[in-house]
Amino acid sequence: MPAYGCVGRQRSTRPCSICACGPVLKNGYRNGRIRYRCATCGQDPHRLSAGRPDITDTAVLTRFLEYVTGTSTQAHMTGTSLRTQRRDWQWCWSIPTPQVEPTGEVYSQVFIDGIYLPYGWCLLIARSQSHVVTWQWTTRETKAAYMALLDQIAPPCLVTTDGAGGALKALHDLWPDTPVQRCLVHVHRNNLRDLTHRPATPAGKALYGLSIRLLKVKTRQEAAAWSGLLVQLHTQYQAYFTERTWARDVPASQRREGRTWWYTHERDRRVYHRLARLQQEGSLFAFLDFDPPQERTTNPVESINSRIRALTYAHRGMTETHMQAMINWYLHSTTENPQSASHILREWNTAGRPQRRTIPKRKTKAKLKPTVGDMPVHYDTALTKEEGLWPRKGWAGRSH
């Protein structure tokens, strides 16, 4: 039986050339010719100029948004040729992504992180426990970039970060009273970079076990027990952490330039002081100060970063402006109230179809090369007559 209540209407075996979904049904006769109608988008795929162009544009924009926010190729998005499909939605690249309006809502927890993308871009993202709150394009994770990101939202009850220097400085200046939770997974990764997975020293093995146990802390009692183990480790290996190596006592090949001494076990010492400093600042177990406990990692925002990496890989080869537009549309789809294709198109037409503005990069002044008159040239590539390499013509200096 035909779907959508279209009793008696015959289906076409070809998919709709507008939305690529179908089914395409016969819709009576007009002027002696068979009319067709797509049960999904409502348009006649055989006569694009007929009917309502707003429905056609909405269907094209819907397919375009499905393409840029998904990992399917163009060949899987339509039943027409790739060149025809790119020509049909070429105008969609010009539509500006709707801006996220600040609501002033105080979120219980906000996760902030940055991801580096092709063409030298860095994208800072702020996400709540359920959706993306806002984002900011920049070139590096600087303090100014994070302040521009955080200025768009109200201070939350708890903010979680991976420990980027620019983020910590911005949080200290902009939200001094907001508790900061360091991502425990990133803390453990930093420890592994110093200890490796198979530490050789007894202190390194103890620190490695303590770092593993940090990931399993879920209650206040477990946090107190972990802090006690950290104090015991310091008491046991205090002399070990303060051991020094003097330059005069090692061979010349092992001496460090400009140093008369250095700590013998710098890596183990660095791991201990990292854990002790974060525990003293209250950044390790800030998530336990809430009932129920909050998230202790940046996994919610890392999932957004992972999806963006998948998009840039699936659609690799895009131009710089198309890549930015693709990521902006995906982030818009992950906000709390993403707009529908019909609403986006209606607002765009009402505003006079403004064009998407590209994000400018900071231009660095090119260094001017000094000329011969500014400084002496000791070595050059030009030919000189003193070297006997001057171009010659005729028979001058030659014998017959």
Side-chain angles (χ1 to χ4, degrees), residues 61-97:
L61 181 59
T62 301
R63 296 300 296 171
F64 170 78
L65 295 180
E66 292 178 1
Y67 168 70
V68 296
T69 58
T71 56
S72 299
T73 62
Q74 295 182 16
H76 292 87
M77 298 296 296
T78 178
T80 61
S81 65
L82 299 182
R83 181 172 296 182
T84 302
Q85 181 63 69
R86 287 191 292 266
R87 183 176 63 250
D88 290 343
W89 67 31
Q90 179 63 34
W91 58 272
C92 299
W93 293 107
S94 303
I95 303 179
T97 306

Side-chain angles (χ1 to χ4, degrees), residues 335-353:
T335 56
E336 186 176 10
N337 297 310
Q339 299 179 10
S340 62
S342 59
H343 184 271
I344 294 172
L345 189 61
R346 183 169 57 254
E347 294 293 330
W348 186 52
N349 290 327
T350 304
R353 295 202 165 194

Side-chain angles (χ1 to χ4, degrees), residues 291-302:
D291 188 22
Q294 301 289 349
E295 178 64 41
R296 52 187 176 170
T297 66
T298 56
N299 286 349
V301 70
E302 292 289 352

Side-chain angles (χ1 to χ4, degrees), residues 22 51 63 112 124 173 230 337 378 380 396 400:
R63 296 300 296 171
I112 58 176
L124 307 182
D173 293 351
L230 183 65
N337 297 310
H378 299 285
D380 210 336
H400 295 282

Side-chain angles (χ1 to χ4, degrees), residues 223-238:
W226 187 92
S227 301
L229 292 176
L230 183 65
V231 173
Q232 294 179 12
L233 187 144
H234 177 261
T235 303
Q236 182 177 357
Y237 295 102
Q238 181 177 5

Side-chain angles (χ1 to χ4, degrees), residues 93 118-119 121 315-326:
W93 293 107
Y119 301 103
W121 285 105
H315 304 304
R316 55 192 179 275
M318 278 189 175
T319 62
E320 183 177 359
T321 55
H322 283 188
M323 181 200 69
Q324 292 175 344
M326 174 187 66

Side-chain angles (χ1 to χ4, degrees), residues 92-356:
C92 299
W93 293 107
S94 303
I95 303 179
T97 306
Q99 298 293 330
V100 180
E101 298 295 336
T103 60
E105 178 182 355
V106 178
Y107 298 98
S108 59
Q109 187 174 15
V110 168
F111 309 87
I112 58 176
D113 193 17
I115 176 176
Y116 286 88
L117 299 168
Y119 301 103
W121 285 105
C122 177
L123 182 63
L124 307 182
I125 303 175
R127 187 187 190 276
S128 68
Q129 294 179 342
S130 58
H131 59 273
V132 171
V133 180
T134 185
W135 61 89
Q136 176 70 38
W137 286 94
T138 180
T139 55
R140 290 172 51 232
E141 293 185 81
T142 61
K143 172 185 174 182
Y146 271 104
M147 291 191 70
L149 174 75
L150 301 178
D151 272 334
Q152 306 176 42
I153 56 179
C157 300
L158 179 66
V159 59
T160 304
T161 176
D162 59 357
L168 296 178
K169 294 177 182 178
L171 290 172
H172 180 270
D173 293 351
L174 198 60
W175 297 344
D177 300 329
T178 302
V180 178
Q181 169 65 43
R182 289 287 292 272
C183 175
L184 300 186
V185 173
H186 282 82
V187 174
H188 179 63
R189 290 177 182 173
N190 294 337
N191 295 338
L192 291 181
R193 187 176 60 247
D194 294 320
L195 297 174
T196 72
H197 288 274
R198 295 183 178 181
T201 63
K205 294 179 181 180
L207 288 169
Y208 178 80
L210 201 62
S211 182
I212 291 290
R213 186 165 181 171
L214 177 63
L215 302 176
K216 303 177 181 180
V217 174
K218 296 181 180 179
T219 62
R220 294 178 180 272
Q221 293 75 14
E222 294 176 352
W226 187 92
S227 301
L229 292 176
L230 183 65
V231 173
Q232 294 179 12
L233 187 144
H234 177 261
T235 303
Q236 182 177 357
Y237 295 102
Q238 181 177 5
Y240 173 84
F241 292 141
T242 57
E243 289 182 8
R244 299 182 180 184
T245 298
W246 296 88
R248 62 175 181 269
D249 298 333
V250 299
S253 60
Q254 301 180 7
R255 296 176 184 175
R256 302 184 182 181
E257 185 178 357
R259 300 281 297 274
T260 58
W261 66 271
W262 55 88
Y263 288 106
T264 305
H265 312 285
E266 287 184 341
R267 292 178 176 270
D268 295 347
R269 174 185 172 88
R270 188 184 302 119
V271 172
Y272 166 75
H273 280 281
R274 178 186 296 119
L275 296 176
R277 183 183 70 255
L278 294 177
Q279 196 274 340
Q280 185 177 5
E281 295 174 355
S283 301
L284 288 181
F285 307 117
F287 70 98
L288 294 175
D289 296 337
F290 301 86
D291 188 22
Q294 301 289 349
E295 178 64 41
R296 52 187 176 170
T297 66
T298 56
N299 286 349
V301 70
E302 292 289 352
S303 64
I304 301 295
N305 294 345
S306 177
R307 183 64 177 179
I308 292 177
R309 292 189 183 95
L311 288 176
T312 54
Y313 179 78
H315 304 304
R316 55 192 179 275
M318 278 189 175
T319 62
E320 183 177 359
T321 55
H322 283 188
M323 181 200 69
Q324 292 175 344
M326 174 187 66
I327 296 176
N328 284 337
W329 281 119
Y330 168 70
L331 292 176
H332 173 263
S333 67
T334 59
T335 56
E336 186 176 10
N337 297 310
Q339 299 179 10
S340 62
S342 59
H343 184 271
I344 294 172
L345 189 61
R346 183 169 57 254
E347 294 293 330
W348 186 52
N349 290 327
T350 304
R353 295 202 165 194
Q355 299 297 305
R356 174 185 294 272

Side-chain angles (χ1 to χ4, degrees), residues 1-7 9 11 21-25 37-41:
M1 176 180 293
Y4 303 95
C6 301
V7 180
R9 297 183 181 181
R11 299 191 185 196
C21 293
V24 178
L25 310 173
R37 181 178 183 274
C38 176
T40 301
C41 65

